[in-house]
């Protein structure tokens, strides 16, 4: 028969029905917006991390494309910015919270402070993960071998700054000089000597475009030469790999070029947020680091840490797909649901209002269900009409969620305020938990 | 069948209970009710019984001709007592191209309610068995799934035959089979005048002459004689590609046209024979080179048998009892599409004109095809100014790139000297123009029947269609052209007959 019920092509896995897809986007965006409204100081870090997650989704999308050097180059150029912004969002959140919470008045409040930081950072991580899931779900870039290809591109592109950082670290560790003095300064001088004749003849307003054009031409010639050399050897990489290598090289050079400026700005901003008592110590530490290892080395090492965070995220997603925790067809929406759930749970640990926590949990399950339902329906119904089925299923899920939230509000309303003197202690909480587990067991036995 | 759709709810419940205990946070403990509610929802909602469905199917038209679009309507009724909240349906379409609509749908059905799935397929000759629709029912929570194939009460077979009223044959036959011969007779062409004799019909008197001179004269007309007609079908490689998956190729439609004309001409006793151009030179069909001829003289061969063999060659891409030139028995030649695949479009476009291929590989095929076509048409005239795709534009946009062709000479050598020729060709390259010129140069009258497979398609096919129109315009100058779109009106454009 020409038309089988379950066409299992990558292309068909990428589709989701319109209403389900719209519900996933609306509910996720609404949940993220409500959580950030409740934690306004986390808006900046969440926005930074979300931008990085979108860049990461673009990297994965480009990596899944045709095996061409341009797609590899594009992906390679975005790996470092994606890593820096994803990790940067979390780090900025930590720094802001540390500035707000510390120093504490009593030592006993130290652990409370760290729990508050963990809770708030958890909200940021949840929001970033939700946005990442949304970005993935647009074209389901993890379908087929998209994620594996994306990881290969990330590793290929990230290998250049990692190896460069290692080299610079070894230079600083084994010699009396830093890589800034041994490598960066001479190269910068050479470039300056090449640029000076250009700036002497070119009018000031055209200096930057001309220099940029010259840089691009030089980079293209160098990359082309390198590519031809590599092609002639038995270790010739494919076009996409070569492009990713080129992208990693260009970003590494760019990082080194701005390392001094970045190091100064970041360390100054960090030191200002620490208490005055340790400001002097922090300043000495940063100066010592710069003189011992060089600013380029320090910045590259920070980039490597960010790449590690990015790699950890990709590995976690890969593991979830491989173990079946995430369905490949609806991985994006499932991740979005997990993100909203994390935001709700961590928000609940740091005093988010009950209605927001309950609504967040319900929203996460709704997003999870709508995503899987929409992908399965698109695969089985193809381009046929699906509106009626979607309204029935999604409407029922919404009703159940609403009813569950109402019941949960009643339950929570009966519970004593944790900040009051009559707060429930261990045995009471355990009893409550036992009721829930008991209900769960009853439900399982009914199945 | 129950699926573990809401296992995630279990995980969420346990996670909330754990974190709630860890942080001593009653809100999180209370939040565990939400995923628990979804788990209960998945358990409680199920399909009480397997859905009872009744299916009927109808076709419009019920007996289409090859290449025509058929609207298929599948009606599925919920004959049970309970609502089916989630029903997904896939109709059992055989190997026919779906060109409009979709054989899939999803809906919810109340008891007694009916859903209609409507889509269009392109008919191919023969009988096509439709399987019963595959349905998959789910509960509201999608935690219970039931899949089955529903038997269809009516409309299981689509039969595609030549239509009883064949407008194509009617249109062509008005122009062939009769020729004005020498000598006076009962024709319609003026021959001479003579003095009136007693008994001459009144309608034959030249009354104008009578009014002028007063003399009675009788007009004589040329005698009409039935003349033999040879049908030639073009099944060369450019016509073997399909415009889209499941659609008939130009060669198959040409064979269809030839079939209809053979029947009508044989009935009128004016059939001279059937020729086929583009057979495998080494195969059993070939008479000389890559042409085959089955003449009716002496009844030594049967044109209908040749046509059946030709049709088999088109469907399988090989000679029916032989193998390909490369020795692979029964294998599909490169570019000959028998499977419904997306590559067919590119193959056809590449094969047609070379200027509209979708990929470098297809363009290479196109260049080879047009180079071969140029060699075919320009063997005796190497100096002809053919452009890159073999269509040298002559004055007023006609096609000139032609010369004598060995296959054309072989074919003309087989047919009777005075026969009219009906050429059935998709006109996707310049061979048809070369044949038309050669035929009329030898004094044969020519009618060209050309099925249009470029009417619906992408930009490449539309470009091929424009070039086809140029060729038909050129042929119009040497013969008469019948432009045929299967399933639509027959366009007949009488031109000057040399």
């Amino acid at each position: 028969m020409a038309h089988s019920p379950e066409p299992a092509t990558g292309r068909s896995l990428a589709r989701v029905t319109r209403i389900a897809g719209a519900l996933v986007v609306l509910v996720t965006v609404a949940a993220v917006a409500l959580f950030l409204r409740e934690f306004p100081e986390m808006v900046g870090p969440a926005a930074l991390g979300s931008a990085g997650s979108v860049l990461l989704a673009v990297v994965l999308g480009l990596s899944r494309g045709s095996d061409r050097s341009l797609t590899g180059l594009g992906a390679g150029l975005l790996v470092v910015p994606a890593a820096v912004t994803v990790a940067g969002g979390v780090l900025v959140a930590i720094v802001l919270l540390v500035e707000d919470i510390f120093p504490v008045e009593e030592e006993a409040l130290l652990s409370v402070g760290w729990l508050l930081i963990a809770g708030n950072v958890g909200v940021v991580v949840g929001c970033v993960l939700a946005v990442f899931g949304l970005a993935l779900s647009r074209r389901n870039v993890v379908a087929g071998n998209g994620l594996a290809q994306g990881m290969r591109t990330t590793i290929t592109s990230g290998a250049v700054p990692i190896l460069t950082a290692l080299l610079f670290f070894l230079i600083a560790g084994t010699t009396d000089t830093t890589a800034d003095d041994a490598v960066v300064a001479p190269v910068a001088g050479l470039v300056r000597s090449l640029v000076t004749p250009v700036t002497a003849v070119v009018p000031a307003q055209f200096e930057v475009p001309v220099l940029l054009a010259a840089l691009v031409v030089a980079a293209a010639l160098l990359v082309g030469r390198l590519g031809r050399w590599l092609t002639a050897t038995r270790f010739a990489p494919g076009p996409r790999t070569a492009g990713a290598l080129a992208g990693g090289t260009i970003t590494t050079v760019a990082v080194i070029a701005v390392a001094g400026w970045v190091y100064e700005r970041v360390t100054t901003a960090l030191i200002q947020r620490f208490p005055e008592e340790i400001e002097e110590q922090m300043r000495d530490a940063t100066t010592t680091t710069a003189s011992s290892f060089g600013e380029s080395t320090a910045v590259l090492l920070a980039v490597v840490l960010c790449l590690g965070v990015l790699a950890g995220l990709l590995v976690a997603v890969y593991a979830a797909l491989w173990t079946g925790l995430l369905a490949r067809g609806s991985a994006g929406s499932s991740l979005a649901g997990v993100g909203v759930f994390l935001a709700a749970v961590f928000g609940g640990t740091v005093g988010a209002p009950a209605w927001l926590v309950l609504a967040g949990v319900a929203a996460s399950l709704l997003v999870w269900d709508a995503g899987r339902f929409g992908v399965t329906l698109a695969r089985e119904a193809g381009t046929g009409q699906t509106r009626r089925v979607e309204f029935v299923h999604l409407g029922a899920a919404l009703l159940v969620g609403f009813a569950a939230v109402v019941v949960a509000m009643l339950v929570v309303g009966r519970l004593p305020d944790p900040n009051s003197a009559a707060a429930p202690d261990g045995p009471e909480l355990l009893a409550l938990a036992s009721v829930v587990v008991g209900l769960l067991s009853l439900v399982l036995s009914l199945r | 069948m129950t699926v573990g759709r809401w296992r995630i709810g279990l995980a969420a419940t346990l996670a909330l209970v754990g974190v709630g205990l860890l942080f001593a946070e009653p809100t999180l403990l209370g939040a565990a009710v939400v995923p628990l509610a979804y788990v209960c929802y998945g358990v409680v909602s199920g399909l009480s019984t397997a859905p009872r469905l009744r299916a009927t199917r109808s076709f419009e038209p019920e007996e289409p001709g090859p290449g025509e679009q058929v609207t298929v309507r599948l009606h599925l009724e919920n004959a049970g007592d309970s609502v089916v909240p989630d029903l997904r349906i896939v109709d059992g379409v055989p190997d026919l191209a779906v060109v409009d609509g979709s054989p899939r749908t999803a809906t919810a059905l109340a008891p007694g309610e009916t859903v209609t799935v409507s889509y269009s397929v392109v008919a191919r000759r023969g009988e096509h068995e439709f399987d019963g629709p595959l349905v998959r029912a789910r509960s509201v929570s999608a935690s219970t799934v039931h899949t089955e194939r529903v038997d269809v009460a009516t409309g299981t077979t689509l039969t595609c035959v030549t239509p009883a009223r064949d407008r194509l044959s009617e249109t062509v036959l008005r122009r062939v089979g009769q020729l004005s011969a020498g000598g006076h007779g009962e024709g319609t062409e003026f021959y001479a005048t003579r003095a009136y004799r007693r008994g001459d019909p009144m309608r034959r008197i030249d009354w104008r002459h009578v009014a002028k001179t007063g003399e009675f004269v009788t007009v004589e007309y040329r005698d009409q004689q039935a003349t033999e007609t040879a049908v030639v079908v073009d099944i060369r490689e450019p016509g073997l590609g399909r415009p889209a998956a499941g659609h008939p190729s130009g060669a198959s439609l040409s064979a269809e046209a030839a079939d209809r004309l053979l029947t009508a001409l044989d009935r009128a006793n004016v059939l001279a024979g059937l020729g086929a151009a583009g057979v495998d030179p080494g195969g059993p069909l070939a008479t000389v080179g890559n042409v085959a001829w089955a003449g009716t003289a002496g009844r030594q061969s049967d044109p209908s048998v040749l046509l059946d063999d030709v049709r088999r060659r088109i469907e399988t891409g090989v000679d029916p009892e032989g193998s390909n030139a490369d020795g692979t028995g029964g294998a599909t030649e490169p570019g000959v599409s028998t499977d419904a695949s997306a590559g067919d479009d590119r193959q056809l476009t590449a094969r047609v004109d070379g200027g509209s291929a979708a990929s470098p590989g297809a363009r290479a095929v196109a260049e080879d095809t047009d180079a071969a076509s140029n060699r075919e048409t320009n063997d005796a005239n190497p100096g002809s100014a053919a452009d890159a795709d073999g269509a040298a534009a002559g004055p007023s946009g006609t096609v000139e790139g032609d010369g004598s062709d060995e296959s054309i000479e072989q074919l003309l050598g087989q047919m009777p000297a005075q026969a009219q020729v009906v050429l059935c060709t998709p006109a996707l390259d310049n061979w048809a123009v070369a044949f038309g010129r050669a035929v009329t140069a030898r004094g044969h009258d020519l009618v060209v029947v050309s099925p249009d497979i470029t009417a619906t398609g992408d930009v490449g096919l539309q470009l091929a269609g424009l070039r086809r129109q140029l060729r038909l315009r050129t042929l119009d100058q040497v013969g008469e052209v019948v432009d045929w779109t299967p399933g639509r009106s027959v366009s007949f454009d009488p031109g000057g007959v040399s």
Side-chain angles (χ1 to χ4, degrees):
Chain A
M1 188 176 73
H3 289 268
S4 63
E6 305 241 15
T9 63
R11 213 171 265 280
S12 66
L13 282 176
R15 276 197 62 233
V16 64
T17 52
R18 197 171 297 178
I19 296 174
L23 190 71
V24 165
V25 172
L26 279 171
V27 171
T28 304
V29 169
V32 167
L34 286 172
F35 277 112
L36 291 179
R37 200 181 78 143
E38 188 62 32
F39 299 93
E41 63 274 13
M42 295 293 105
V43 171
L48 189 63
S50 298
S53 63
V54 170
L55 285 178
L56 180 58
V58 173
V59 169
L60 295 178
L62 285 173
S63 303
R64 200 178 71 144
S66 53
D67 188 10
R68 297 166 66 176
S69 54
L70 271 180
T71 54
L73 178 66
L77 286 173
L78 293 176
V79 166
V80 168
V84 168
T85 43
V86 166
V90 175
L91 290 170
V92 168
I94 294 173
V95 167
L96 290 175
L97 289 163
V98 164
E99 183 188 15
D100 279 345
I101 293 169
F102 295 107
V104 293
E105 293 167 359
E106 299 171 14
E107 198 172 323
L109 294 173
L110 260 178
S111 59
V112 174
W114 286 119
L115 284 175
L116 279 173
I117 290 172
N120 280 273
V121 168
V123 171
V124 171
V125 167
C127 292
V128 169
L129 191 61
V131 172
F132 180 51
L134 268 191
L136 284 186
S137 70
R138 293 317 297 151
R139 288 178 183 268
N140 199 17
V141 292
V142 297
N145 67 342
L147 184 62
Q149 196 59 51
M151 289 174 70
R152 270 195 287 274
T153 303
T154 304
I155 291 167
T156 306
S157 178
V160 180
I162 291 171
L163 291 173
T164 309
L166 194 63
L167 176 67
F168 282 18
F169 188 79
L170 284 174
I171 291 173
T174 57
T175 65
D176 291 333
T177 184
T178 66
D180 284 354
D181 298 328
V183 177
V184 178
V187 171
L190 178 66
V191 171
R192 214 171 287 119
S193 64
L194 292 172
V195 163
T196 304
V198 175
T199 55
V201 299
V202 171
Q205 64 266 35
F206 297 121
E207 267 180 25
V208 171
V210 168
L211 285 172
L212 274 175
L215 181 66
V216 167
V217 167
L221 284 171
L222 187 66
V223 168
R225 189 86 186 144
L226 183 65
R228 274 194 294 274
W229 175 73
L230 281 174
T231 305
T233 70
R234 49 193 285 258
F235 301 106
R240 185 164 42 209
T241 306
L245 275 173
T249 305
I250 292 171
T251 49
T252 303
V253 168
V255 165
I256 294 171
V258 300
W261 178 83
V262 167
Y263 187 83
E264 191 205 330
R265 290 292 176 102
V266 170
T267 51
T268 305
L270 274 176
I271 288 169
Q272 283 172 355
R273 294 189 185 278
F274 281 98
E276 283 182 18
E277 298 85 12
I278 61 173
E279 198 177 302
E280 195 59 37
Q281 291 171 332
M282 293 296 300
R283 213 180 291 279
D284 288 341
T286 56
T287 307
T288 306
T289 303
S291 60
S292 302
F293 295 98
E295 290 153 347
S296 304
T297 309
V299 169
L300 278 174
L301 283 174
V303 166
V304 169
L305 282 173
C306 295
L307 286 169
V309 170
L310 194 74
L313 173 61
L314 288 176
V315 166
V317 174
Y318 187 86
L321 285 170
W322 187 69
T323 55
L325 285 173
L326 287 181
R328 199 168 284 273
S330 57
S333 57
S334 299
L335 274 175
V338 168
V340 173
F341 184 79
L342 285 177
V345 169
F346 281 103
T349 65
V350 289
W355 67 266
L356 184 60
V357 174
L358 300 175
V361 171
S364 67
L365 290 164
L366 189 62
V367 165
W368 176 287
D369 179 52
R372 294 190 82 154
F373 175 77
V375 166
T376 309
L377 184 59
R379 190 172 65 226
E380 293 180 353
T383 54
Q385 259 305 338
T386 59
R387 208 177 312 155
R388 202 175 185 190
V389 170
E390 290 185 89
F391 277 135
V392 168
H393 179 92
L394 298 175
L398 266 170
L399 278 174
V400 168
F402 183 76
V405 167
V406 167
V407 170
M409 285 291 289
L410 292 172
V411 169
V412 171
R414 290 251 177 223
L415 294 173
D417 183 354
N419 297 321
S420 73
D425 58 6
E428 287 176 351
L429 287 173
L430 203 54
L432 185 59
S434 302
V435 169
V436 175
V437 172
L439 275 171
L440 198 57
S441 305
L442 176 65
V443 165
L444 287 175
S445 66
L446 283 173
R447 285 162 57 94
Chain B
M1 182 178 77
T2 304
V3 296
R5 187 181 184 81
W6 290 105
R7 272 197 293 254
I8 189 64
L10 301 178
T13 304
L14 291 171
L16 284 165
V17 168
V19 176
L21 284 175
L22 189 64
F23 283 81
E25 186 58 59
T27 303
L28 292 177
L29 282 176
V33 170
V34 176
L36 197 58
Y38 275 106
V39 174
C40 294
Y41 164 56
V43 168
V44 166
S45 100
L47 292 171
S48 51
T49 54
R52 279 179 41 218
L53 302 167
R54 265 200 295 263
T56 57
R57 194 187 286 116
S58 63
F59 304 113
E60 186 189 325
E62 288 188 359
E63 287 188 346
E68 284 186 46
Q69 274 196 24
V70 180
T71 301
V72 182
R73 289 192 183 86
L74 173 74
H75 308 278
L76 206 65
E77 180 194 358
N78 181 5
D81 298 324
S82 53
V83 172
V84 182
D86 185 340
L87 185 67
R88 300 162 197 204
I89 306 159
V90 181
D91 201 6
V93 185
D95 191 19
L96 296 173
V98 176
V99 296
D100 191 27
S102 173
R104 298 169 176 262
T105 194
T107 187
L109 278 185
E113 195 176 357
T114 300
V115 62
T116 299
V117 182
S118 178
Y119 57 96
S120 298
V121 297
V122 175
R124 288 208 317 267
R125 176 174 285 274
E127 290 193 347
H128 304 279
E129 288 287 330
F130 279 68
D131 289 334
L134 192 69
V135 299
R136 180 166 288 169
R138 285 183 166 85
S139 57
V140 176
S141 66
S143 58
T144 311
V145 180
H146 173 80
T147 306
E148 67 172 308
R149 191 175 293 281
V150 180
D151 292 327
V152 178
T154 60
T156 55
T157 308
L158 175 67
T159 305
C160 176
V161 295
T162 301
R165 182 155 182 259
D166 183 11
R167 296 191 61 226
L168 173 69
S169 297
E170 287 174 7
T171 305
V172 175
L173 287 177
R174 280 199 288 271
R175 290 290 177 256
V176 298
Q178 293 288 323
L179 192 63
S180 293
H184 63 92
E186 294 300 316
T188 57
E189 190 177 340
F190 175 79
Y191 178 62
T193 58
R194 59 169 173 76
Y196 173 77
R197 294 188 207 127
R198 187 194 295 267
D200 285 343
M202 298 283 280
R203 58 183 164 80
R204 287 282 196 93
I205 297 173
D206 187 354
W207 293 106
R208 202 171 290 172
H209 189 83
V210 170
K212 270 189 192 169
T213 63
E215 285 182 25
F216 280 82
V217 295
T218 300
V219 177
E220 288 185 320
Y221 296 95
R222 285 192 183 276
D223 189 22
Q224 288 282 339
Q225 291 178 351
T227 186
E228 289 186 302
T229 303
V231 179
V232 175
V233 61
D234 174 10
I235 59 166
R236 296 168 311 108
E237 193 183 329
L240 292 175
R242 299 172 198 243
H247 284 245
S249 63
S252 68
L253 287 175
S254 299
E256 173 65 23
D259 186 18
R260 299 187 192 185
L261 291 170
L262 278 182
T263 308
L265 290 171
D266 198 32
R267 207 181 304 130
N269 210 24
V270 295
L271 178 64
L274 172 70
V279 298
D280 183 0
L285 291 181
T287 306
V288 181
N290 65 342
V291 304
W293 172 258
T296 55
R299 294 291 170 188
Q300 291 178 353
S301 53
D302 189 349
S304 61
V305 172
L306 173 60
L307 188 64
D308 288 341
D309 290 343
V310 161
R311 195 169 271 131
R312 270 194 291 276
R313 188 211 186 273
I314 293 168
E315 290 298 322
T316 62
V318 299
D319 274 321
E321 292 176 26
S323 62
N324 286 337
D326 62 359
T328 57
T332 306
E333 290 179 352
V336 176
S337 37
T338 57
D339 296 327
S341 69
D344 291 354
D345 301 352
R346 293 194 291 276
Q347 291 292 343
L348 172 67
T349 310
R351 201 176 283 116
V352 165
D353 283 292
S356 49
S359 66
R363 279 196 290 274
V365 170
E367 286 161 6
D368 288 342
T369 302
D370 285 312
S373 175
N374 284 341
R375 282 195 294 277
E376 280 185 16
T377 58
N378 297 327
D379 266 347
N381 192 7
S384 67
D387 63 11
D389 58 9
S396 67
T398 56
V399 176
E400 287 198 357
D402 57 277
S404 68
D405 181 316
E406 197 176 323
S407 64
I408 296 172
E409 294 300 320
Q410 289 159 2
L411 206 49
L412 291 176
Q414 303 283 325
M415 57 182 70
Q418 298 299 321
Q420 287 183 324
V421 177
V422 179
L423 172 64
C424 301
T425 175
L428 295 175
D429 65 354
N430 297 330
W431 181 89
V433 174
F435 181 83
R437 289 178 185 275
V439 159
T440 51
R442 288 206 177 185
H444 298 277
D445 285 339
L446 175 69
V447 176
V448 177
V449 178
S450 181
D452 185 8
I453 61 168
T454 64
T456 55
D458 57 13
V459 173
L461 277 174
Q462 290 172 21
L463 186 61
L466 285 173
R467 290 177 170 151
R468 174 179 169 274
Q469 286 301 321
L470 276 179
R471 296 185 188 106
L472 294 184
R473 198 187 301 178
T474 305
L475 287 167
D476 206 38
Q477 295 176 353
V478 297
E480 300 182 25
V481 173
V482 178
D483 193 354
W484 173 44
T485 303
R488 298 185 193 170
S489 60
V490 179
S491 165
F492 173 62
D493 190 11
V497 180
S498 61

